Amino acid sequence: MHGRESNRPDSPSREDLIAEVSELRGRVASLEGGENAASSFEVLRRALDNVPALVSFVDADRRFRIANGMYAEWLGIAPEDVIGETTREVLGQDANDRLSEHLKRVLDGDAVSFRNALTFKDGTHHDMNVKLVPYFDGEGTYRGYFALVLDITEEVAAQRALEDSEARFRSLLEFNPDAVYVHSGLQIRYMNPAASRMFGAAYPGEFVGRSILDFVEPSEHDAVRQRYEGILQSVPQPTREFQMRRLDGRRFDLRASIEPVVWEGQRAVLAVAQDITGQKRIERELEGAHVSAEVARNRLIDAVENIPEAFAIFTADEKIEFFNSNYVEKIWPQARDLLVPGASLEDVVREAARRALDPDGDGTSPAVEQFVSDALHRHRSAPSTTELRRSDGRWLRIAKRRTPDGRIVGVYADITDSKRREVDLAESEERYRRVVEDSPDAILVSCAGAIVYANEAAVRLFGARSKSDLVGREAADLRAPGEEDLPEIRTERLRSPRASSRGYQKRRRLDGTLVDVDVSAVRILWYGREAVLTTMRDVSARIRAQTALEEAERRLSVAARNFPGAIYQRLLRPDGTITFPYVSSGIVDILGLEADEIVSNARLIMDLVEKERRAPLREAIEDSARRMTPFAMEIPMSSRKGGTVWLRSVARPRALEDGSIIWDGVWLDITERNLARQALQAAKDEAEAANAAKSSFLANVSHELRTPLNAVIGYAEVIRDRILGDDADDRYRQYAADIHASGMHLLSLINDILDLSKIEAGKQILDEADVPIERLLEETLRIASPAVLRSDAHLRVEVAPDVPLLRVDELKFRQVLINLLSNAYKFSPPGGDVVLSVSVLPDRSIRFAIRDHGPGIAAADIEKVLVPFGQVPHERRGGRTGTGLGLPLSKALVEVHGGTFAIESEVGAGTEVVIVLPETRGVWQESFAFGNG
């Protein structure tokens, strides 16, 4: 019980409990406020007595300590009689057992609600809703619980009635022939069998949980959402039609009405729907039929209105029922005011005749009567076709037909132009005959394969003496062997009466020779018979020229393919655009570009030119165009195959009539020539540099050798000739020492030169051994100490503890360190520091560094001091000068060991020389920090 313990006293008697309640009431009455407090308590008590529920407090021994008046009304037990009694005695065994099931949670400190049954004083059984709330005092001791028991018998009965109603409602829905479904939040909650069949499901459960939008066409989604939101806001929604989808994706039309409902405790929408797909299809078909009929009628009216002929329909009793505008304008323009549907044909004809023939009369003159009689006779003689010449000279063809229901349809065509063409035809036939006869092209007409006409040009073409040599001959006799698919044959196979065909052929002359001709053939009527008219033009000269041209082009193409480069035409238009009308295929071998690519996009060539060279190239092209001088330029270009290609372009310009300039030119790949030229120049530069280096070297060597040798010779002559006298032994000994020093200097110089020569020749052999760093540095410092001791510079040595044994040529590597220490001393200011440090880098390479605080070296002079005899003017300690071989020799010896040599310096801040030996120069042991490697 949440760690609480009940410190209950011995169970009091019922009388004690009643006395305790009375005492409690007395205390309440005596509280501050006096009568007002007692009055408030009385009000509270009366309120609890009138609450329509059992309100009580039950102590830890399950005895009633407080009970309201409803115990008397419902159970027939006065509240005073309830106090002190146990729950079993008051509620009965069954209700008490049900209560006991929930008391454990109350003892754990939880408020509990549950249903229970209770028998009232009248013997009726009631459903009760019980709520128990635990009570603990200020010290956390459980004292009991408050109980609130509500009678929910009517609610339970109503719920059961509702469930029974819903069950009946669902049964009704199950057998409803209309589709019924319920959705809440647009998710389907229920669907009856009719709805599941409509949506194409095997059973209704397939839809439950799915969104109704899954079965609605996307274009209808917004409408569905609006209807759903509106119906939930009590806004009535009219019956509406939707396009839906079945489970298999097929579309169908649905008509649905919706109402708001509460379904399983939630607000929802109930929809009743019918599948109207068939109905809609019938409606659409019917509407389509109406529309089609109306369209057909309108089209018929439009067609009749737009035909060039006049058109009219007359009823069986000779009334005008329908007519187009041409009927008014071309047939009865004089009586247009009378032409209305339903007008009498006779009245219209008579009035039109009167106005034209007897304008001042009453319409009964003989001329008018005759006109009316003839017109009505023609009308009543249908079916008939009549050609009639009007008084204004125009001709009409009147065609009338009678329909099965007695109506008459009349079509009135103006054939004036046709009549005129008949006259013109006769005149034009003579003109055309003369044109055909005088035509320079040969013309033959053949019927059923036999020649029936030939003009004079045909006589000349085929070498005949006269037309009679050709007329009557079979047209096939003039065909060359093997050429059967002739234009005439193709034309004969076509059904169109005006079908024609063209082509190039060879024809046989009467003497058997062949002639080249362009042939065209067309089907015509020749005096009522189907015939083929063939026109032939002698193109022998053109064929010979074309053959020669093709041969020339073939030779040019072969030459272009075998040209060691590429041939091109470059066109500069007046607007400044450049194109390439022609590029030979050789360009692909040079730049990796296809000729067709350049022809279609000239920009590709410029894109391969380096950016800084594009402007000069464009200027050279424009200069050549302006001055009309040959274009010649060598330029590097990027090849699609990779790398750079040098092209030499040579071309000659010529002007075109439209102001354009076109160059005929070639591209030559001169990459190899340029490379050879560059290699030759590099070799020349290298030879000149070597020669200069040799001259500088010899000059330096001669200077370095000549100075000590002069001293040796001079001092030797003094001693030899005893120039200072016989008693100057101390001076002679000093001179001998100077001779010895100069000789040692010469020996050192010669040794350094020889060592450099050996290294450059690759003949330097290292005498390698495993050398402890301590021994190497000790020997180095011992040898270098005289020079250091003679100065007032401070030397500091820093060696990391993890430096391994070194596998080096001890003598030569010590020489390197001595040279560097000597330099550092020479350039250190008085009292300056010289630091020698040795450490191991993360990649296990060994780093040596000698740092001084001298004048430093400018960045531009670092390369100079690494060249033999290369020196930079500096103020040295004691005015000493060097040979300029120390640093170059040291660098060479380090590199022979596979290491790197670098100088880091800043003017005025000192110099640091860094040597890095590779990992392989260390003898690594497991005891080192790096492990066993």
Side-chain angles (χ1 to χ4, degrees):
M1 297 184 292
H2 295 290
R4 299 186 179 94
E5 296 182 356
S6 176
N7 298 321
R8 294 176 296 176
D10 295 337
S11 299
S13 65
R14 183 171 180 275
E15 290 75 11
D16 292 337
L17 292 175
I18 294 173
E20 183 178 344
V21 171
S22 298
E23 183 183 355
L24 179 61
R25 288 176 176 173
R27 289 177 181 176
V28 172
S30 65
L31 291 175
E32 183 178 358
E35 294 179 359
N36 290 336
S39 176
S40 298
F41 179 81
E42 182 63 23
V43 170
L44 177 62
R45 184 185 66 76
R46 290 180 180 179
L48 289 176
D49 287 343
N50 288 282
V51 171
L54 301 180
V55 181
S56 61
F57 176 75
V58 180
D59 65 13
D61 293 326
R62 301 181 67 175
R63 291 182 179 276
F64 285 92
R65 302 289 295 275
I66 297 175
N68 70 344
M70 293 306 294
Y71 278 86
E73 184 175 338
W74 285 1
L75 303 181
I77 307 174
E80 293 79 3
D81 296 334
V82 173
I83 295 172
E85 298 293 338
T86 65
T87 55
R88 183 179 61 79
E89 293 169 342
V90 174
L91 303 176
Q93 185 66 43
D94 291 341
N96 186 68
D97 292 342
R98 178 65 174 159
L99 174 67
S100 299
E101 295 175 3
H102 299 279
L103 280 181
K104 184 178 183 306
R105 291 177 57 193
V106 174
L107 293 175
D108 287 339
D110 295 335
V112 179
S113 294
F114 61 92
R115 287 191 177 185
N116 205 345
L118 196 63
T119 303
F120 278 22
K121 64 183 181 180
D122 59 0
T124 59
H125 297 282
H126 289 252
D127 293 301
M128 314 299 290
N129 187 51
V130 182
K131 184 171 183 178
L132 307 179
V133 179
Y135 170 67
F136 295 89
D137 62 15
E139 297 178 355
T141 302
Y142 174 71
R143 292 300 187 184
Y145 62 85
F146 292 96
L148 176 65
V149 184
L150 298 172
D151 186 355
I152 59 171
T153 304
E154 293 181 359
E155 294 179 15
V156 171
Q159 180 66 28
R160 288 172 181 164
L162 177 62
E163 291 174 355
D164 292 342
S165 174
E166 287 186 352
R168 290 191 297 273
F169 175 71
R170 287 179 184 251
S171 298
L172 178 63
L173 293 181
E174 292 297 315
F175 294 101
N176 195 325
D178 288 335
V180 180
Y181 52 91
V182 177
H183 60 84
S184 175
L186 298 178
Q187 280 194 327
I188 299 173
R189 304 298 183 191
Y190 168 79
M191 183 172 281
N192 72 344
S196 67
R197 290 192 299 272
M198 182 177 68
F199 282 98
Y203 60 94
E206 286 190 63
F207 291 91
V208 174
R210 296 187 62 172
S211 172
I212 190 65
L213 297 179
D214 293 346
F215 306 97
V216 180
E217 284 294 304
S219 60
E220 305 273 21
H221 283 185
D222 289 342
V224 171
R225 292 190 184 98
Q226 292 172 3
R227 282 168 61 83
Y228 176 75
E229 294 170 359
I231 202 70
L232 292 185
Q233 295 171 5
S234 302
V235 178
Q237 299 296 319
T239 300
R240 193 181 186 282
E241 296 177 0
F242 293 91
Q243 278 202 338
M244 310 289 285
R245 287 181 179 270
R246 306 188 201 276
L247 271 179
D248 58 6
R250 289 179 299 147
R251 291 184 176 85
F252 71 98
D253 295 299
L254 172 143
R255 180 185 292 119
S257 59
I258 58 175
E259 294 291 338
V261 297
V262 176
W263 190 269
E264 297 178 350
Q266 293 184 358
R267 299 180 68 191
V269 171
L270 181 143
V272 179
Q274 298 88 32
D275 185 346
I276 59 171
T277 306
Q279 176 184 340
K280 294 290 287 185
R281 184 179 64 253
I282 294 172
E283 290 177 357
R284 286 193 295 268
E285 290 175 354
L286 182 59
E287 182 180 356
H290 288 315
V291 171
S292 298
E294 184 64 22
V295 169
R297 177 179 177 277
N298 291 335
R299 285 178 179 173
L300 177 60
I301 293 174
D302 290 342
V304 172
E305 184 62 32
N306 288 285
I307 60 175
E309 292 83 7
F311 180 85
I313 299 176
F314 306 91
T315 61
D317 57 351
E318 297 183 353
K319 296 288 194 299
I320 302 174
E321 184 176 17
F322 173 81
F323 53 90
N324 66 358
S325 58
N326 282 336
Y327 185 72
V328 177
E329 300 299 330
K330 295 183 178 182
I331 307 304
W332 306 117
Q334 306 90 340
R336 56 168 50 90
D337 55 321
L338 301 179
L339 284 172
V340 294
S344 168
L345 174 62
E346 181 177 354
D347 293 344
V348 171
V349 172
R350 184 175 298 279
E351 181 60 20
R354 186 194 68 77
R355 292 177 180 179
L357 302 177
D358 187 17
D360 298 327
D362 57 1
T364 59
S365 66
V368 171
E369 291 294 339
Q370 184 63 44
F371 185 89
V372 172
S373 175
D374 293 342
L376 294 178
H377 175 73
R378 288 193 298 273
H379 180 78
R380 294 164 183 167
S381 300
S384 63
T385 300
T386 307
E387 292 183 358
L388 176 67
R389 185 171 184 175
R390 296 168 60 104
S391 59
D392 58 3
R394 304 191 64 82
W395 284 84
L396 287 179
R397 178 181 290 117
I398 303 173
K400 292 191 176 181
R401 297 291 182 268
R402 193 178 297 276
T403 64
D405 59 358
R407 287 179 169 83
I408 292 179
V409 177
V411 179
Y412 307 79
D414 188 335
I415 60 172
T416 305
D417 294 340
S418 175
K419 286 292 187 178
R420 289 174 181 170
R421 282 195 295 272
E422 290 179 1
V423 176
D424 294 339
L425 179 60
E427 297 175 353
S428 65
E429 280 186 352
E430 178 61 22
R431 289 196 298 269
Y432 285 131
R433 187 184 67 79
R434 298 306 307 171
V435 169
V436 170
E437 280 295 326
D438 297 337
S439 172
D441 295 330
I443 297 176
L444 295 178
V445 178
S446 56
C447 294
I451 298 173
V452 296
Y453 171 79
N455 67 353
E456 289 297 331
V459 172
R460 293 191 298 271
L461 177 67
F462 289 101
R465 292 188 300 271
S466 64
K467 297 179 182 179
S468 59
D469 286 347
L470 296 175
V471 174
R473 189 183 295 270
E474 291 293 322
D477 295 343
L478 304 179
R479 296 171 187 166
E483 296 190 353
E484 298 300 330
D485 191 19
L486 297 175
E488 299 98 311
I489 297 175
R490 292 196 296 271
T491 301
E492 288 172 354
R493 293 172 183 167
L494 299 175
R495 294 182 178 274
S496 172
R498 301 297 298 173
S500 63
S501 181
R502 296 177 179 274
Y504 159 76
Q505 294 285 337
K506 287 183 179 295
R507 290 302 168 98
R508 183 195 299 273
R509 295 160 61 91
L510 294 185
D511 59 4
T513 59
L514 299 180
V515 61
D516 296 301
V517 292
D518 275 344
V519 182
S520 63
V522 62
R523 293 184 64 185
I524 63 171
L525 287 177
W526 185 262
Y527 296 103
R529 299 171 60 193
E530 288 191 358
V532 174
L533 184 147
T534 305
T535 303
M536 291 160 285
R537 178 172 296 176
D538 188 347
V539 293
S540 301
R542 189 190 73 190
I543 295 299
R544 287 193 298 271
Q546 183 175 348
T547 302
L549 178 60
E550 290 174 353
E551 178 62 23
E553 289 180 348
R554 186 189 66 79
R555 289 195 297 267
L556 179 61
S557 176
V558 171
R561 285 197 302 271
N562 292 281
F563 182 74
I567 300 172
Y568 70 89
Q569 282 187 325
R570 178 174 56 225
L571 179 66
L572 175 63
R573 300 188 185 280
D575 61 1
T577 58
I578 293 177
T579 60
F580 288 89
Y582 171 77
V583 178
S584 69
S585 59
I587 194 65
V588 71
D589 297 326
I590 302 175
L591 297 178
L593 280 173
E594 295 291 344
D596 291 344
E597 292 183 78
I598 300 173
V599 171
S600 60
N601 184 5
R603 185 68 193 174
L604 293 176
I605 285 290
M606 190 64 75
D607 289 344
L608 298 181
V609 177
E610 296 177 357
K611 289 185 178 180
E612 61 272 12
R613 295 180 180 265
R614 293 176 185 175
L617 174 59
R618 181 77 187 204
E619 290 174 2
I621 293 173
E622 293 174 352
D623 182 67
S624 175
R626 184 173 56 256
R627 300 168 56 189
M628 293 303 290
T629 55
F631 171 86
M633 194 171 188
E634 294 181 4
I635 193 166
M637 302 182 69
S638 299
S639 173
R640 277 192 180 177
K641 297 179 178 180
T644 300
V645 176
W646 276 85
L647 282 189
R648 176 173 174 78
S649 178
V650 180
R652 288 186 176 275
R654 51 190 172 90
L656 301 181
E657 293 181 357
D658 63 353
S660 302
I661 305 296
I662 190 167
W663 286 264
D664 301 300
V666 296
W667 282 313
L668 298 174
D669 185 351
I670 60 170
T671 305
E672 294 184 1
R673 190 185 74 183
N674 269 21
L675 291 176
R677 184 170 61 191
Q678 292 171 5
L680 180 61
Q681 184 63 41
K684 179 182 176 184
D685 294 342
E686 185 177 353
E688 291 175 351
N691 186 53
K694 180 189 71 173
S695 300
S696 176
F697 178 77
L698 291 176
N700 284 311
V701 168
S702 64
H703 172 74
E704 294 293 337
L705 293 178
R706 187 182 297 112
T707 300
L709 279 176
N710 286 335
V712 169
I713 294 171
Y715 288 134
E717 287 177 349
V718 170
I719 296 173
R720 183 193 65 189
D721 297 335
R722 302 185 71 83
I723 295 173
L724 300 177
D726 294 334
D727 56 351
D729 292 341
D730 291 340
R731 298 287 298 276
Y732 292 146
R733 278 194 296 272
Q734 179 62 43
Y735 289 164
D738 290 339
I739 290 172
H740 181 268
S742 296
M744 293 304 295
H745 176 73
L746 284 172
L747 179 61
S748 174
L749 178 63
I750 292 170
N751 284 337
D752 287 348
I753 294 173
L754 291 176
D755 286 342
L756 272 175
S757 299
K758 285 181 181 180
I759 294 172
E760 290 176 355
K763 295 181 179 180
Q764 182 66 265
I765 299 175
L766 298 179
D767 183 12
E768 297 181 355
D770 295 345
V771 181
I773 188 65
E774 294 84 358
R775 190 180 81 192
L776 176 65
L777 295 181
E778 182 180 352
E779 289 295 320
T780 300
L781 296 177
R782 184 180 60 80
I783 296 171
S785 61
V788 176
L789 291 175
R790 284 196 301 269
S791 71
D792 52 0
H794 303 293
L795 176 64
R796 187 170 73 251
V797 180
E798 300 173 351
V799 182
D802 54 355
V803 176
L805 297 175
L806 298 179
R807 185 174 292 113
V808 296
D809 186 321
E810 184 176 1
L811 181 62
K812 290 182 172 53
F813 200 74
R814 190 188 309 122
Q815 181 182 355
V816 172
L817 297 178
I818 291 171
N819 286 344
L820 298 179
L821 285 172
S822 176
N823 275 353
Y825 154 70
K826 285 189 292 186
F827 293 104
S828 291
D833 289 333
V834 175
V835 181
L836 168 61
S837 63
V838 187
S839 60
V840 178
L841 298 179
D843 62 352
R844 299 217 298 185
S845 56
I846 302 102
R847 180 179 186 272
F848 290 79
I850 294 91
R851 184 173 69 254
D852 65 58
H853 294 84
I857 307 171
D861 292 333
I862 290 178
E863 289 295 329
K864 185 183 299 183
V865 300
L866 293 176
V867 177
F869 300 106
Q871 295 182 346
V872 178
H874 279 305
E875 182 181 348
R876 296 176 173 83
R877 297 291 307 277
R880 301 183 184 90
T881 59
T883 62
L885 293 175
L887 287 176
L889 180 59
S890 298
K891 180 176 182 294
L893 288 173
V894 170
E895 291 175 348
V896 168
H897 281 81
T900 61
F901 185 97
I903 298 176
E904 300 175 3
S905 184
E906 182 178 351
V907 175
T911 301
E912 183 177 41
V913 180
V914 179
I915 298 169
V916 179
L917 295 179
E919 176 191 3
T920 55
R921 286 295 172 183
V923 181
W924 305 97
Q925 300 178 8
E926 293 184 5
S927 61
F928 293 153
F930 290 102
N932 57 10

